[in-house]
Amino acid sequence: MATDIVAQLADSLAKTGVEDGELSYKGQGRKLDDAQSVEEMVKEIQDFEGLQALRLEGNTVGVEAAQAIAKALETKSAFQRCYWSDMFTGRLRSEIPPALNSLGDALMLAGARLTVLDLSDNAFGPDGVKGIENLLKSPTCYTLQELRLNNCGMGIGGGKILAASLIHNHKISSAEGAPISLKVFVAGRNRLENDGATALAQAFKLMGSLEEVHMPQNGINHAGVTALADAMQHNAGLRILNLNDNTFTEKGAIAMAQALKHLRSIQVINFGDCLVRPEGAKAIAESVSEGLPILKELNLSFGEITEDAALAVVQAVKDKGQLEKLDLNGNCFGEDGCRALKDAMEGMNMGELLGSLSDDEGEPEDDDDDDEDEDEDDDEEDVDEEEIEEEEEEEEEEESTGNKFSTPQSAPRPPDVSSFLSFPSPDKLLKLGATRALLIAQQVDVSDATKIAEAFLKIASVYKEDNNDVKNAVLDSIDVLLKKAFTSPSFQGYSFVSSLLVLLGLIKSEDKVKPVIVVPGHLQALEYVVRQDYFPKESVAVLEAFMSRNNKALESCGNAKNSLQSTLQRIRSQS
């Protein structure tokens, strides 16, 4: 009997947490559309004396429901922490700004002083940032210490609005003698790109109080990275810097290496998937060697780093007594290089600190000329289409005037990832070389499930069962891309499957998306994917249901469809 009472009490506390002035409805999956649907919640908020925190994560809140909750918050002057991530699932984007405005206005009216504002995983775009703009500028946020906006789709516009709000806050709060001292900033997967990152860098530089910065997967290249590097120098207390999966190249990496020389408090550096390349890695190694006395983790994985540069990194960490992990996976060492790194780490009695090297890309091919061409691109990593058009026009003009041999003809450039994804062909895929999988994964925005689905179908479209080179290149490229997407914490697997079904013409989309012409390779590649550990087993039943239907889109792929269907059935029976 006593056990039952304890269990009931634990269940009750799980549903509505009361801890440190906190009221929690986290993960209850409530659909809160109107005032009636939140009557009980509103009463609990009103009756909670000294309310400091409200958790609404994992519910879906409509405008009218948000207004009712806001009304209850208007008297909560002790309120400090908003845990409001993932609370607009299934809502129209137009509903989110008024809902946020209502909640923000209530906190300002209450005279609350926030320390935590978490609105991650809400995909509200630039308009959503406008919904919190007044709140961020107000005295309610003068005390803000943690701002978490991961996976919100802010884009460049949202990033600029956010930066302007923080700069305004700093200016006014400083004038009142209590400048904002933001400590934690999280904004991964927001497509901020260079302009958004540069705008935010100005705010970071002014505040100078940051201890954690997490901005992975934002499409930032060396111009934006350089701006962030300059800002980080002014945040001497920085402990964690996570810029994973942006494109540094040597220029950005060298700029960031200079910034690291000013950051003696840093403990975790995550520059994985950042294409730092050998010279960038050597510059970072120099900074690590000269300072960073309490470094615990260094991630330089998947950066096209060669053996000599990696050995410089290894030597740089030899005196880091607090080091817990060095990640150099997915670079270009080759079998001998991997062995040399392991031997070097073991020779320093640090062998257990070196992460796996299982995804090593092998020794680099001799393509120095291509690297030089890429380095000369100052502002963009992608090929400039206008330049290509001009080159083609010049070639046509030379041919028409008979001047084909007046100047030496350079060898045609190898195809790039953009060219392959625009017009896929087996030949283009193979010519991307041994690092094709990494290059494609870096090119595609893994925060966007639709773009991942589109990229998957483009790669799969060139699949050839009777050509092992092409087959292996396709499966390897797909494997790296999808593993990267599905293992990211905030990637929504169901959105990927939904987008895939739309693009295959198996379900209709309100956005009138034009389906692809389905070829056997699409289904053969999908059959491979569903067998992988990273693919969510709950999506297998969904795929099986659609594959079992008669659909004209799949009529030309009878054998591939039957094989996929059998595999899906087998996986379901085993689970």
Side-chain angles (χ1 to χ4, degrees), residues 175-212:
E176 296 187 11
I180 182 174
S181 297
L182 192 68
K183 290 180 169 56
V184 178
F185 180 82
V186 181
R189 293 184 159 197
N190 272 291
R191 301 192 296 279
L192 294 169
E193 301 181 18
N194 283 343
D195 289 348
T198 300
L200 284 165
Q202 295 174 2
F204 299 162
K205 188 173 181 177
L206 279 175
M207 290 186 291
S209 56
L210 289 165
E211 296 179 5
E212 294 185 26

Side-chain angles (χ1 to χ4, degrees), residues 287-542:
S287 296
V288 170
S289 179
E290 293 176 359
L292 284 57
I294 57 174
L295 184 67
K296 291 183 177 179
E297 293 184 23
L298 177 59
N299 183 345
L300 296 177
S301 60
F302 297 95
E304 290 190 0
I305 301 172
T306 51
E307 178 188 348
D308 62 327
L311 286 171
V313 174
V314 166
Q315 288 300 312
V317 302
K318 66 180 178 181
D319 295 322
K320 306 305 168 189
Q322 297 187 36
L323 190 72
E324 296 174 0
K325 184 175 181 181
L326 174 63
D327 191 346
L328 293 170
N329 199 17
N331 284 296
C332 306
F333 307 145
E335 189 174 337
D336 291 341
C338 289
R339 183 69 261 165
L341 290 176
K342 291 176 182 177
D343 289 344
M345 288 293 284
E346 288 170 2
M348 299 186 301
N349 294 319
M350 301 174 79
E352 74 281 2
L353 306 184
L354 181 64
S356 169
L357 298 175
S358 60
D359 293 320
D360 185 70
E361 295 287 341
E363 293 183 48
E365 297 176 3
D366 187 12
D367 55 0
D368 292 341
D369 292 340
D370 293 339
D371 287 343
E372 287 173 9
D373 289 341
E374 289 177 22
D375 290 341
E376 288 170 4
D377 265 343
D378 284 339
D379 297 314
E380 294 185 10
E381 296 300 315
D382 296 329
V383 176
D384 189 324
E385 294 179 2
E386 292 181 4
E387 289 181 6
I388 291 176
E389 290 174 2
E390 289 173 5
E391 288 174 6
E392 289 175 349
E393 288 172 3
E394 288 174 6
E395 288 173 6
E396 289 173 3
E397 185 177 343
E398 286 179 354
E399 288 178 5
S400 64
T401 57
N403 192 28
K404 294 170 70 173
F405 305 104
S406 59
T407 57
Q409 294 291 311
S410 59
R413 285 187 180 184
D416 64 355
V417 175
S418 298
S419 173
F420 167 72
L421 291 175
S422 298
F423 303 100
S425 73
D427 185 55
K428 283 184 181 178
L429 181 63
L430 293 177
K431 284 184 177 178
L432 287 176
T435 60
R436 66 180 71 84
L438 174 62
L439 294 173
I440 292 171
Q442 289 175 335
Q443 180 85 3
V444 182
D445 180 4
V446 295
S447 67
D448 191 324
T450 299
K451 288 183 178 178
I452 292 292
E454 289 172 348
F456 164 76
L457 291 174
K458 286 177 179 179
I459 300 167
S461 69
V462 305
Y463 180 96
K464 289 183 179 293
E465 184 65 38
D466 57 353
N467 186 320
N468 283 334
D469 288 343
V470 174
K471 176 181 175 180
N472 291 336
V474 167
L475 296 183
D476 182 45
S477 300
I478 285 172
D479 210 25
V480 171
L481 177 64
L482 293 189
K483 186 185 294 183
K484 183 176 179 182
F486 277 108
T487 55
S488 296
S490 55
F491 183 73
Q492 297 175 329
Y494 64 86
S495 295
F496 167 78
V497 173
S498 176
S499 297
L500 196 61
L501 293 172
V502 169
L503 291 166
L504 289 171
L506 302 181
I507 57 176
K508 291 183 179 179
S509 167
E510 294 179 0
D511 299 328
K512 297 182 180 179
V513 175
K514 185 178 180 181
V516 301
I517 298 173
V518 184
V519 296
H522 289 140
L523 305 188
Q524 289 165 322
L526 185 56
E527 183 180 355
Y528 167 81
V529 167
V530 300
R531 296 198 302 265
Q532 306 310 305
D533 290 340
Y534 55 75
F535 190 81
K537 295 298 179 274
E538 61 268 21
S539 296
V540 170
V542 178

